[in-house]
Amino acid sequence: DLFSFHEIAPGAPFWHSKGMTVFRELERHARKVNDENEYQEISTPILVKKEVFQKSGHWDFYRDNMFWFTNPRDKKETLVVKPMNCPHHIEIFNRRPLSYREIPQRYANTTKVYRDEQTGELNGLSRVRSITQDDAHVFCRQSQVKEEFIKIWNVVDEFYKIFGFNLNIELSFRDLSSPEKYLGTPEMWNRAEAQLEEIALD
């Protein structure tokens, strides 16, 4: 009796009292881990203009999996129900110039996101339209990437070990035959993939 699904909201779980007890304990522990690892807890709006996703590049790649609509009061405004946190966190990071002493910036956000998964793809809690993410983004200098990655790995590894999960590394690289599917320059991708490979081999 943790949760149920109902026809009025396909793919969106209804959490019952017992389910929320588990949910709150997970959330409490996640916040404790985030605090211990110097993540700043933030909160961002559930509805934003589509322009933020156009600026980040998500609109071109993911709009078919987003819930979005024209504002009935302002036909020029298209609003998106939050499918991810990345652009929102970037907006906070870009709010003012930061000194190198303030880097890295680590943002954590436990929030609901909504994705327009196709009806035939919905499956229990593993494929849903409404999920709660304990999501984080780290903004750092190139010289800090390896150190920050290892810190993130340790946080995730520690968290999942509580539940008996052991993490394994699997690297996947971009498909060079479809460069139009990737944001950023080839140089950025080459550098990022090389760093990930170096970390994985260590």
Side-chain angles (χ1 to χ4, degrees):
D1 197 26
L2 301 178
F3 62 91
S4 59
F5 287 96
H6 301 270
E7 285 299 317
I8 61 169
F14 285 64
W15 290 94
H16 305 177
S17 177
K18 290 178 181 177
M20 281 307 297
T21 298
V22 176
F23 198 102
R24 285 199 315 268
E25 282 303 305
L26 284 171
E27 200 172 48
R28 183 192 61 75
H29 183 66
R31 280 197 166 99
K32 177 175 176 284
V33 169
N34 287 338
D35 288 346
E36 289 170 353
N37 288 276
E38 300 180 324
Y39 280 82
Q40 303 173 55
E41 183 170 2
I42 60 173
S43 178
T44 58
I46 199 74
L47 273 184
V48 294
K49 293 181 179 181
K50 76 170 183 182
E51 283 77 8
V52 72
F53 295 100
Q54 288 176 318
K55 186 165 71 172
S56 69
H58 289 88
W59 184 255
D60 290 335
F61 291 97
Y62 300 113
R63 75 167 164 257
D64 290 343
N65 294 107
M66 295 179 179
F67 289 108
W68 52 275
F69 61 94
T70 301
N71 185 344
R73 294 179 185 274
D74 180 356
K75 302 294 185 191
K76 295 178 183 174
E77 184 177 69
T78 300
L79 296 169
V80 178
V81 182
K82 181 161 58 172
M84 60 201 60
N85 294 302
C86 326
H88 304 66
H89 290 193
I90 291 168
E91 290 291 317
I92 290 177
F93 179 75
N94 284 336
R95 72 194 183 279
R96 65 176 175 83
L98 294 168
S99 160
Y100 73 94
R101 293 185 183 90
E102 297 177 276
I103 304 294
Q105 289 278 302
R106 303 181 189 97
Y107 303 148
N109 191 187
T110 302
T111 184
K112 271 196 168 54
V113 296
Y114 299 86
R115 296 178 183 171
D116 189 11
E117 301 286 356
Q118 300 306 304
T119 305
E121 297 173 337
L122 299 176
N123 182 23
L125 287 181
S126 62
R127 198 71 181 261
V128 293
R129 287 180 173 163
S130 169
I131 60 174
T132 299
Q133 287 185 331
D134 174 39
D135 196 16
H137 290 85
V138 175
F139 299 87
C140 65
R141 300 191 298 274
Q142 280 292 323
S143 60
Q144 297 171 316
V145 168
K146 185 174 182 179
E147 180 184 355
E148 288 301 314
F149 184 96
I150 290 168
K151 284 180 181 176
I152 292 167
W153 174 268
N154 290 337
V155 166
V156 175
D157 189 42
E158 173 193 334
F159 194 92
Y160 278 99
K161 273 184 178 166
I162 295 169
F163 306 100
F165 293 110
N166 292 313
L167 301 183
N168 296 308
I169 291 179
E170 289 185 22
L171 284 180
S172 60
F173 297 99
R174 70 196 187 281
D175 181 358
L176 295 175
S177 67
S178 303
E180 73 282 357
K181 293 183 178 179
Y182 300 91
L183 295 171
T185 65
E187 293 75 25
M188 290 169 64
W189 275 94
N190 291 339
R191 184 168 61 242
E193 289 177 340
Q195 286 176 312
L196 286 173
E197 192 168 18
E198 179 188 343
I199 292 166
L201 292 173
D202 273 356

